[in-house]
């Protein structure tokens, strides 16, 4: 296969991000400056984002059998890049006073984003694995970036050990599938699996192992144990990155895998995923009820939200693709906003993050606008109208009703009711009178900093999507999955 | 366009209140009052100029006096569709009026975070007006959920700290979770209806008039109807689902209780009249015996519970459960007279319960307690307050000459031809109402005096509020046609549609 100019254009975002990483590395070798590294990274990510317009002209296009750049991947690339931009602006405020080298963070972030970009456009198990590892490996370093804090180091190591384990499961599963079907491309697998004669125990084992591996990466129950610990321990901007970029990328490739290689046969895989979804909704929400740490609460709630999202995966027809994209977009905006506020309150770096709910007691009377942002985010996570979360939840209900997945719909209702309890608890804490001077507080000029602006922008976005979602829906509807040629 | 403004005005006013808090305590109050007066004035203007009389023909679509439509989410055929008919007009008049009362009655009670308080108060009003105007099911649900958040804040932040483990945050949380969870069931039912229509017609729509005529198979209709019924039953409340109400009322500030009893409970009855009955007439009629049984249980349970309360506000809250039992029976008997009675009783109950809550709020401001065991013999010691209390208690027990009598009488009268035995049993409930109402009077104002000192009488603001409520209660007791004329057409439509559907299915 010849690489033509349009193939190069299609790969432009990926290349731009990689080039950014290299440039940052060279600059650091020449002279260290936190400001320069951060600026270069932001410029690079923005350039990649802008290049998506060019990519849109040549899409859909297949670049080698591994990668398919279609509108579906462009949509998710855009989401990843925007989330990464938000994370790097948040990280800038946070890292400013970190008593250590700060520039390497941006290289790790760039590498991870490159992995995510590859992941959302992969249509082959090879590129899936490369993308997944490229995305995960830098994350170990990022989670442990404030490694003088015990919790951060613990988070990094915990994530590394468990993630490596999951990768091993994934690889073994792929190997078994390859042994049975002789191909690694999604469509090839689909065609081979559709032939029932080939449904041997090896295929079942292979698919099962892959479910374990991918289930770990998106942190659905019962593979969720790492989530709250890592979310709590990692620096807040990293938790934001983990909760958004890595979730978007893995879920996007999962959706593609599912639509190109649908699980046929007696549908046991659907049952398994449906059970995992139900379990995630219940477990995530139940465990979040009694938490005292906001970061852990968001960690557990992310498990529940992934459970809701799996409903779309189980349905995997009709509105499912659209619903998944909308839900991810709304969830990502919301989570970024929530972690953004946590970051701002914990910035600049002063030891472990301000995660405890008690740090936020009476925040409203000191920082009304910041509190308004966090309130909007909590309401959005709870799925209350006038916020983006409601539109996401509406889509999930719509898909559930459309595909008549009554158990899952019931699960979402139950989960939402449970979830309200802790979202409201967080919310009311913000408005209660605080007894004494706060230990941690956002800097007085938080709203003038890039991180602050980003958070305000996200709040506006969450509100706008909640009130007028049509533009987002239009955007998402253009993003269909292209069959490989 | 005027309908859009009805919704926007409270929202804008609320934001203004929040922002003007920095200029002191007064501006937010004044702005809130002006906003609500404006809202009320628009509603009265609509009433004055509109023609809500009985039209000659009953069509398939409701006869909207005013309509407003904006495309919103085209993907699902959702539009920002508002419509006004007699029923919604009455509800909006009520909302505007109680909004004014809520602002005035918290004038002295709320003295911290005044701006934010009024933001929440006005947003509740805005969302409730939205509920009464929305005729797109998505929009209806949107407002239905939206009113919860400000109400939650109102109870959680400005509520009275409770006694014996009843914290105001707990009460607020209970209120929120009950309503939200049941609301999601309604959302599922709405989506079920939309997809049923989609399968037949191939287009997504959430429009009331279009969805109303969707033909549904019997079990599907029953399930969807139950989805709506449960959501409304929680809000009304119907007895097994009433757990949030006494706590929320007891813990809420006076303005919150006035809103809660006066208009939030009415959204449920409105929802039943506007959506549940017309959209699932056959299923609703099949379900009627169960609903009426629940209504009867509510009447007695509420009355007995009210009798055993020691907290004034809890007593009034429990009496609301009892009154709403009548409303439920009236709705499900589906005769024109009983439905008109429901409308009258809703209005009357809003006045009398608002009056009682305001009186107990004013008692609390003077005595610092809501516990009836610590009161007694207050007659003559708190100015004109006991006199007003007497009027509202009499109204609440359904004394002829008050609006409540008209409502209860019409409901029982209208239901008699359909379900005579239910009416006979329900009438006994009226006796119980007299018992708990008189106990309320006796314990607080008569009997041996527990406290031997005089309190300040009513000031002009307090006096005017109670006087207005008093006049309205009596006026509607003597001239109920003021309300009934406005709602007649809307109610006739409901009755016609329901009986048309049930007749055609039995033939």
């Amino acid at each position: 296969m010849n690489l033509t100019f349009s193939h190069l254009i299609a790969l432009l975002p990926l290349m731009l991000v990689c080039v950014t990483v290299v440039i940052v590395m060279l600059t650091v070798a020449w002279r260290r400056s936190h400001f320069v590294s951060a600026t270069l990274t932001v410029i690079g990510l923005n350039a990649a984002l802008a290049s998506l317009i060019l990519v849109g002209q040549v899409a859909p296009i297949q670049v080698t059998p591994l990668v398919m750049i279609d509108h579906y991947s462009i949509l998710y690339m855009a989401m990843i890049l925007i989330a990464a931009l938000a994370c790097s602006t948040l990280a800038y405020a946070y890292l400013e006073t970190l008593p250590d080298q700060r520039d390497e963070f941006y290289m790790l972030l760039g590498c991870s984003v490159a992995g995510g970009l590859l992941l959302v456009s992969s249509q082959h198990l090879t590129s899936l694995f490369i993308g997944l590892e490229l995305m995960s490996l830098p994350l170990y370093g990022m989670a442990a970036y404030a490694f003088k804090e015990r919790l951060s180091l613990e988070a990094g190591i915990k994530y590394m050990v468990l993630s490596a384990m999951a990768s091993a499961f994934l690889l073994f599963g792929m190997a078994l599938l390859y042994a049975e079907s002789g191909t690694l491309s999604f469509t090839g697998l689909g065609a081979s699996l559709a032939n029932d004669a080939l449904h041997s125990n090896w295929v079942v084992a292979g698919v099962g192992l892959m479910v374990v591996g991918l289930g770990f990466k998106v942190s659905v129950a019962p593979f969720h144990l790492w989530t709250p610990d890592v979310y709590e321990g990692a620096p807040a901007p990293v938790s934001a990155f983990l909760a958004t970029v890595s979730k978007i990328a893995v879920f996007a490739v999962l959706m593609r895998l599912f639509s190109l290689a649908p699980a046929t046969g007696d549908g046991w895989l659907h049952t398994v995923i449906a059970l995992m979804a139900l379990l995630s909704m219940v477990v995530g929400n139940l465990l979040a009820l009694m938490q005292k740490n906001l970061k852990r609460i968001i960690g557990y709630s992310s498990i529940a939200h992934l459970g809701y999202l799996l409903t779309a995966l189980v349905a995997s027809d009709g509105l499912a693709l659209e619903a998944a994209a909308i839900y991810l977009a709304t969830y990502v905006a919301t989570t970024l906003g929530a972690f953004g506020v946590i970051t701002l309150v914990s910035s600049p770096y002063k030891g472990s993050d301000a995660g405890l709910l008690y740090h936020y007691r009476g925040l409203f009377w000191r920082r009304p606008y910041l509190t308004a942002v966090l309130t909007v985010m909590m309401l959005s996570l709870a799925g209350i109208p006038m916020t983006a979360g409601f539109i996401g939840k509406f889509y999930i209900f719509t898909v559930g009703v459309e595909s008549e997945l009554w158990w899952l719909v019931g699960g979402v209702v139950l989960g939402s009711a449970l979830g309200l309890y802790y979202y409201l608890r967080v919310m009311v804490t913000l408005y209660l009178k605080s007894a004494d001077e706060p230990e941690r507080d956002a800097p007085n000029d938080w709203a003038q900093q890039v991180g602050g602006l980003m958070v305000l922008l996200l709040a506006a976005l969450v509100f706008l999507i909640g009130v007028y979602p049509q533009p987002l829906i239009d955007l998402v509807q253009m993003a269909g999955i292209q069959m490989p040629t | 366009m005027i309908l859009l403004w009805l919704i926007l005005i409270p929202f804008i006013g609320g934001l203004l209140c929040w922002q003007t808090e920095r200029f002191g305590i007064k501006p937010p109050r004044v702005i809130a009052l002006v906003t609500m007066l404006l809202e009320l004035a628009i509603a009265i203007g609509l009433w004055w100029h509109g023609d809500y009389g009985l039209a000659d023909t009953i069509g398939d679509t409701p006869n909207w006096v005013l309509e407003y439509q904006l495309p919103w989410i085209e993907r699902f055929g959702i539009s920002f569709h508002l419509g006004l008919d007699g029923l919604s007009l009455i509800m909006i008049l009520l909302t505007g009026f109680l909004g004014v009362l809520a602002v005035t009655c918290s004038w002295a009670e709320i003295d911290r975070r005044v701006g934010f308080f009024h933001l929440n108060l006005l947003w509740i009003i805005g969302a409730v007006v939205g509920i009464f105007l929305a005729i797109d099911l998505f929009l209806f649900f949107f407002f239905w959920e939206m009113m919860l958040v400000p109400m939650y804040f109102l109870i959680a932040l400005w509520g009275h700290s409770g006694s014996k483990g009843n914290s105001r945050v707990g009460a607020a949380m209970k209120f929120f979770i009950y309503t939200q969870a049941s609301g999601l069931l309604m959302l599922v039912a709405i989506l079920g209806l939309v997809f049923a229509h989609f399968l037949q017609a191939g287009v997504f729509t959430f429009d009331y008039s279009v969805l109303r005529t969707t033909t549904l198979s019997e079990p599907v209709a029953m399930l969807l109807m139950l989805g709506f019924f449960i959501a409304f039953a929680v809000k009304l409340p119907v007895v097994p689902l009433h757990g949030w109400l006494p706590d929320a009322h007891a813990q809420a500030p006076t303005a919150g209780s006035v809103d809660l009893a006066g208009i939030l409970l009415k959204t449920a009855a409105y929802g039943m009249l506007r959506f549940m009955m017309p959209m699932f007439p056959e299923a609703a009629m099949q379900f009627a015996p169960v609903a009426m049984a629940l209504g009867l249980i509510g009447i007695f349970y509420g009355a007995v519970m009210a009798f055993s309360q020691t907290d004034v506000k809890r007593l009034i809250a429990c009496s609301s459960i009892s009154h709403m039992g009548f409303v439920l029976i009236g709705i499900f008997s589906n005769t024109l007279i009983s439905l008109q009675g429901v409308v009258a009783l809703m209005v009357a109950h809003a006045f009398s319960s608002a009056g009682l809550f305001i009186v107990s709020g004013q008692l609390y401001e003077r005595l610092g307690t809501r516990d009836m065991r610590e009161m007694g013999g207050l007659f003559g010691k708190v100015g004109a307050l006991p006199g007003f209390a007497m009027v509202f208690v009499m109204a609440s027990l359904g004394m002829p000459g008050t609006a409540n009598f008209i409502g209860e009488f019409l409901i029982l009268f209208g239901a008699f031809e359909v379900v005579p035995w239910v009416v006979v049993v329900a009438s006994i409930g009226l006796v119980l109402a007299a018992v708990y109402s008189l106990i309320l009077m006796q314990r607080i104002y008569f009997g041996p005096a527990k406290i031997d000192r005089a309190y300040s009488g009513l000031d002009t603001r307090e006096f005017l509020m109670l006087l207005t409520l008093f006049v309205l209660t009596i006026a509607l007791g003597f001239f109920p046609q003021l309300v009934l004329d406005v709602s007649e057409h809307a109610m006739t439509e409901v009755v016609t549609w329901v009986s048309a559907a049930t007749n055609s299915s039995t033939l």
Side-chain angles (χ1 to χ4, degrees), chain B residues 4-15:
Chain B
L4 184 63
W5 279 112
L6 273 177
I7 295 176
L8 282 181
I9 285 172
F11 281 106
I12 297 172
L15 286 177

Side-chain angles (χ1 to χ4, degrees), chain A residues 173 176-177 180 196-209 268:
Chain A
L176 287 179
L177 282 188
E180 276 302 319
D196 274 343
L198 277 176
H199 262 273
S200 67
N201 290 337
W202 291 116
V203 172
V204 175
V207 172
L209 287 169
W268 63 271

Side-chain angles (χ1 to χ4, degrees), chain A residues 108-155:
Chain A
L108 292 174
L109 185 133
C111 289
S112 192
V113 170
L117 295 185
L118 179 60
L119 200 52
V120 294
S121 36
S122 68
Q123 55 164 349
H124 196 280
L125 288 183
T126 314
S127 48
L128 184 149
F129 190 74
I130 295 174
L132 201 57
E133 288 306 290
L134 185 57
M135 188 179 74
S136 306
L137 285 174
L139 274 172
Y140 311 152
M142 284 162 75
Y145 206 76
F147 62 89
K148 289 186 177 141
E149 286 300 321
R150 206 182 57 85
L151 277 179
S152 174
L153 188 59
E154 183 193 320

Side-chain angles (χ1 to χ4, degrees), chain B residues 159-401:
Chain B
H160 306 292
S161 33
S163 49
K164 288 178 289 175
N166 286 333
S167 76
R168 51 179 199 252
V169 177
M173 201 105 72
K174 216 167 169 182
F175 161 75
F176 202 121
I177 293 177
Y178 260 95
T179 336
Q180 159 88 12
S182 62
L184 287 179
L185 286 183
M186 177 162 75
L187 178 63
V188 174
I190 291 176
L191 286 171
L193 184 62
V194 168
F195 274 103
H197 181 266
F198 178 70
L199 291 180
Q200 287 164 22
V203 282
F204 282 117
T205 179
F206 281 73
D207 198 77
Y208 170 69
S209 315
V210 180
L211 287 180
R212 202 185 67 73
T213 48
T214 310
T215 41
L216 298 166
S217 68
E218 213 168 276
V220 173
M222 184 52 101
L223 279 175
L224 297 182
M225 196 279 300
L226 282 178
F228 279 80
F229 178 77
I230 291 174
F232 296 143
V234 166
K235 214 38 165 300
L236 193 57
V238 172
V239 154
L241 304 169
H242 67 288
W244 60 273
L245 182 93
D247 288 340
H249 268 305
Q251 254 54 277
T254 309
S257 300
V258 168
D259 276 356
L260 207 55
I263 41 185
L264 258 60
L265 304 191
K266 309 303 181 284
T267 58
Y270 171 84
M272 287 186 181
L273 287 174
R274 169 76 75 217
F275 295 102
M276 194 185 74
M277 298 298 284
M279 289 199 295
F280 314 102
E282 293 157 56
M285 282 295 110
Q286 279 175 11
F287 186 68
V290 183
M292 290 201 189
L294 290 175
L296 280 182
I297 294 172
I299 292 175
F300 286 96
Y301 177 88
V304 172
M305 286 290 286
F307 180 72
S308 57
Q309 297 301 321
T310 53
D311 183 319
V312 188
K313 288 177 88 176
R314 285 184 86 90
L315 191 157
I316 308 168
C318 291
S319 79
S320 294
I321 301 180
S322 181
H323 287 131
M324 290 303 128
F326 284 100
V327 168
L328 197 62
I329 291 177
I331 291 175
F332 277 91
S333 17
N334 189 51
T335 59
L336 180 60
I337 298 176
S338 69
L339 290 189
Q340 288 281 54
V342 168
V343 175
L345 185 58
M346 284 201 287
V347 175
H349 176 260
F351 291 155
S352 65
S353 63
L356 284 171
F357 275 122
I358 291 176
V359 165
S360 54
Q362 293 176 350
L363 272 183
Y364 183 77
E365 281 171 33
R366 288 173 173 74
L367 275 69
T369 179
R370 297 191 315 270
D371 194 332
M372 287 190 289
R373 287 167 299 191
E374 295 171 23
M375 302 175 187
L378 283 174
F379 207 99
K381 289 179 185 157
V382 275
L385 200 60
F388 281 118
M390 178 72 105
V391 175
F392 298 126
V393 164
M394 288 305 145
S396 165
L397 66 80
M399 180 74 85

Side-chain angles (χ1 to χ4, degrees), chain A residues 322 365 386 467 470 477, chain B residues 72 74-75 113 146 180:
Chain A
E322 198 181 323
W365 312 107
M386 281 179 93
V467 174
Q470 188 63 37
Q477 274 189 309
Chain B
W72 188 17
E74 283 108 348
R75 176 73 181 86
R113 316 160 194 170
M146 203 162 80
Q180 159 88 12

Side-chain angles (χ1 to χ4, degrees), chain A residues 94-437:
Chain A
Y94 182 87
L95 294 177
E96 193 57 36
T97 51
L98 186 79
D100 213 312
Q101 307 295 11
R102 299 182 283 268
D103 313 77
E104 283 79 359
F105 185 87
Y106 299 97
M107 296 176 219
L108 292 174
L109 185 133
C111 289
S112 192
V113 170
L117 295 185
L118 179 60
L119 200 52
V120 294
S121 36
S122 68
Q123 55 164 349
H124 196 280
L125 288 183
T126 314
S127 48
L128 184 149
F129 190 74
I130 295 174
L132 201 57
E133 288 306 290
L134 185 57
M135 188 179 74
S136 306
L137 285 174
L139 274 172
Y140 311 152
M142 284 162 75
Y145 206 76
F147 62 89
K148 289 186 177 141
E149 286 300 321
R150 206 182 57 85
L151 277 179
S152 174
L153 188 59
E154 183 193 320
I157 290 181
K158 191 174 255 173
Y159 187 54
M160 179 180 77
V161 172
L162 290 176
S163 183
M165 190 92 127
S167 300
F169 270 97
L170 190 62
L171 263 187
F172 192 23
M174 289 180 188
L176 287 179
L177 282 188
Y178 183 68
E180 276 302 319
S181 63
T183 173
L184 283 174
S185 76
F186 290 0
T187 36
L189 277 176
S192 152
L193 290 179
N195 188 348
D196 274 343
L198 277 176
H199 262 273
S200 67
N201 290 337
W202 291 116
V203 172
V204 175
V207 172
L209 287 169
M210 281 185 68
V211 167
V212 174
L214 291 171
F216 171 87
K217 298 282 181 188
V218 291
S219 79
V220 290
F223 313 110
H224 63 280
L225 290 172
W226 60 277
T227 319
D229 291 342
V230 174
Y231 275 35
E232 184 193 0
V238 179
S239 306
F241 190 83
L242 204 61
T244 54
V245 173
S246 88
K247 294 270 166 74
I248 303 172
V250 179
F251 201 86
V253 77
L254 213 55
M255 274 310 269
R256 193 194 285 267
L257 182 57
F258 242 71
S259 8
L260 294 185
T264 43
D266 50 6
W268 63 271
L269 188 54
H270 276 104
T271 319
V272 168
I273 294 181
L275 280 176
M276 279 165 59
L278 261 182
L279 201 63
S280 301
M281 297 172 197
V282 175
V283 168
N285 281 317
L286 279 182
L287 290 179
L289 287 182
M290 286 303 148
Q291 297 301 324
K292 292 193 169 57
N293 187 310
L294 185 53
K295 284 164 89 183
R296 286 185 85 85
I297 288 180
I298 300 182
Y300 280 117
S301 98
S302 84
I303 299 171
H305 279 279
L306 257 297
Y308 305 151
L309 197 50
L310 281 186
T311 307
L313 192 66
V314 176
S316 69
D317 62 345
L319 286 166
L321 274 184
E322 198 181 323
I326 297 268
Y327 198 88
L328 268 176
T330 58
Y331 174 70
V332 161
T334 311
T335 313
L336 276 178
F339 272 118
V341 175
I342 299 178
T343 313
L344 288 177
V345 175
S346 315
S347 299
Y349 177 83
K350 277 197 266 291
S352 65
D353 290 352
L356 291 176
L357 275 183
Y358 137 88
H359 288 132
Y360 294 84
R361 208 175 150 88
L363 188 70
F364 179 71
W365 312 107
R366 306 193 296 269
R367 303 262 176 267
Y369 293 99
L370 196 61
T371 311
V373 171
L374 192 53
T375 308
V376 169
M377 296 309 163
M378 285 296 137
L379 291 176
S380 177
L381 283 175
I384 305 294
M386 281 179 93
T387 60
F390 172 66
I391 303 297
K393 193 158 277 176
F394 173 74
Y395 257 100
I396 293 298
F397 274 118
T398 312
V399 166
V401 172
E402 186 194 30
S403 307
E404 298 175 2
L405 304 164
W406 301 117
W407 280 103
L408 288 176
V409 170
V412 180
V413 172
L414 181 73
S416 307
L418 285 173
L420 266 181
Y421 179 80
Y422 56 86
Y423 295 129
L424 291 180
R425 213 160 57 99
V426 174
M427 229 166 69
V428 85
T429 310
L430 301 172
Y431 295 85
L432 289 177
K433 261 226 156 21
S434 59
D436 39 16
E437 273 301 288

